[in-house]
Amino acid sequence: MKAITLTSTQSSKLLLTEVQTRHLLPGEVRVLIKAAALNHRDEWCRQGLYPNIKDGVILGSDGAGIVSEIGEGVDYELLQKEVIINPALNWGDNQKVQSASFEILGMPRNGTLAESVIVPVDRLYSKPAHLTWEEAAALPLAGLTAFRALTYQGEIQPGENLLVTGFGGGVAQFAVQFGMALGANVSTSSSSPEKLEKAKSLGVSNTFNYLDHNWISKANEETRGFDLIIDGAVGDTLNHLIQVAKPGGKIVFYGATLGNPTKLEARKIFWNQLKIMGTTMGSDTDFMNMVSFVSEKKIQPIIDQVFKFDQAEEAFDRMRDGKQMGKIVLIP
């Protein structure tokens, strides 16, 4: 089958090649991929910035397709079912935190950027009927991350003020859409006027350009602070978020693209009794609840652009350069 693998033998680090398939083990299924989506971890693998990187691994965590083959012990009724794949493997039984053996599909085991993928049967969920293949492929990793950040960690309530930073990326777009569906007053930030206009068109209450040195005072004036802030950048922007959090508010971060903060406004944290917490992906319960929520609310992921597998380098470069508005999808 054709697959996009990681390689150290060419400048792009991506290789579209023929890969030998294998026989299924008991409890496994083969899914013919109809669409797969990119996440920043795929680009970090290309750049050599992700742990346990191995040459020859098929990249990709997000995928949707049709069950074409089943292993021993798998229900025959699954054959030809339309499914999406939960890329979180070995979370474990503790809802609070993932197990020591937790991993994400696409590195170090083969992922979804291929004509087919083999996964344990318990990673399969029915594809929401209202979604296209491209929309379904865009949902799993970013949707799961956003849903857990909002509901389990953030415990967002109807009528609360929610700020989602960095609108345009996958997790941020889902956090905005989910937040509005949950009845929150949603605001978002970006450095792109075009992305902020898109957010307004979705019904976001307030938008802020974080390159504007007055955005903090503007945010506090317009919203009187946020009950919950969802962020994927951290770095020294954490101190900005502390300034716009309501007393008793929460800041939940799912990434740190800007690295660690060089200083921390500790006095404001304890005096305002703020809660700062991290979140990663989500449990099987989170995933099941997220898919049900998307189906119930008829939420449709924002698709930035669809590429063919042989355009993978262009797709990865678009994500690397931060040009996307929504999810980048690849099809075989």
Side-chain angles (χ1 to χ4, degrees):
M1 66 175 180
K2 290 182 180 179
I4 299 167
T5 62
L6 193 67
T7 178
S8 56
T9 61
Q10 60 186 57
S11 59
S12 73
K13 306 300 182 187
L14 302 174
L15 183 65
L16 178 59
T17 186
E18 292 286 337
V19 174
Q20 185 66 41
T21 60
R22 64 170 175 83
H23 293 295
L24 299 182
L25 299 175
E28 291 185 329
V29 296
R30 190 186 309 277
V31 178
L32 292 181
I33 292 295
K34 289 291 189 178
L38 294 185
N39 292 284
H40 283 289
R41 73 185 301 266
D42 300 310
E43 173 58 20
W44 294 332
C45 287
R46 181 170 72 146
Q47 294 181 27
L49 301 176
Y50 206 81
N52 303 317
I53 289 178
K54 298 186 296 186
D55 261 16
V57 173
I58 300 169
L59 297 175
S61 303
D62 285 337
I66 298 173
V67 178
S68 63
E69 186 181 354
I70 59 173
E72 180 183 340
V74 177
D75 191 336
Y76 279 98
E77 290 188 4
L78 273 178
L79 279 172
Q80 301 305 309
K81 291 292 186 182
E82 297 185 351
V83 296
I84 59 173
I85 299 166
N86 180 355
L89 302 164
N90 309 319
W91 178 276
D93 298 326
N94 188 352
Q95 173 66 8
K96 292 181 180 179
V97 67
Q98 68 271 29
S99 72
S101 59
F102 175 76
E103 64 180 78
I104 303 171
L105 194 67
M107 185 65 72
R109 75 170 70 189
N110 287 334
T112 57
L113 294 180
E115 291 179 318
S116 70
V117 62
I118 296 172
V119 294
V121 66
D122 64 3
R123 297 303 86 198
L124 300 186
Y125 292 75
S126 295
K127 169 184 160 299
H130 71 288
L131 298 183
T132 66
W133 284 116
E134 291 79 9
E135 290 169 341
L139 180 62
L141 189 150
L144 174 60
T145 302
F147 191 79
R148 180 177 174 87
L150 282 170
T151 61
Y152 180 75
Q153 304 287 27
E155 299 178 311
I156 190 70
Q157 299 298 313
E160 289 189 330
N161 289 347
L162 167 67
L163 173 65
V164 179
T165 69
F167 185 73
V171 177
Q173 63 130 317
F174 283 118
V176 165
Q177 290 178 289
F178 293 172
M180 289 192 295
L182 288 163
N185 302 315
V186 182
S187 299
T188 193
S189 68
S190 173
S191 61
S192 166
E194 292 78 18
K195 292 178 181 179
L196 294 178
E197 282 300 317
K198 176 64 175 179
K200 288 179 183 177
S201 74
L202 294 174
V204 166
S205 301
N206 298 278
T207 60
F208 308 101
N209 189 321
Y210 57 72
L211 296 182
D212 181 353
H213 68 280
N214 290 322
W215 87 265
I216 294 173
S217 58
K218 182 182 177 185
N220 282 324
E221 180 181 342
E222 292 183 6
T223 70
R224 298 187 179 181
F226 298 99
D227 300 282
L228 175 62
I229 300 171
I230 305 294
D231 177 65
V234 195
D236 285 331
T237 65
L238 177 58
N239 294 303
H240 300 160
L241 303 182
I242 290 169
Q243 294 181 59
V244 296
K246 277 185 180 180
K250 303 182 185 78
I251 300 172
V252 178
F253 65 97
Y254 57 86
T257 56
L258 297 179
N260 296 320
T262 58
K263 63 177 182 177
L264 192 63
E265 297 287 349
R267 291 182 179 86
K268 199 152 193 175
I269 294 172
F270 73 72
W271 185 254
N272 284 343
Q273 306 208 37
L274 302 181
K275 297 179 178 67
I276 299 177
M277 62 193 81
T279 192
T280 295
M281 296 286 286
S283 69
D284 289 359
T285 298
D286 294 323
F287 194 91
M288 178 180 64
N289 290 340
M290 182 271 292
V291 173
S292 296
F293 180 76
V294 167
S295 295
E296 176 191 347
K297 300 295 185 179
K298 297 294 185 288
I299 291 170
Q300 292 182 277
I302 303 167
I303 303 301
D304 172 74
Q305 199 166 332
V306 179
F307 295 86
K308 292 281 193 178
F309 273 9
D310 59 9
Q311 300 172 298
E313 186 175 352
E314 182 182 350
F316 272 70
D317 288 349
R318 182 171 178 80
M319 183 171 60
R320 178 200 63 197
D321 297 339
K323 295 178 179 178
Q324 79 276 13
M325 175 56 252
K327 294 286 288 185
I328 296 172
V329 176
L330 288 92
I331 56 175

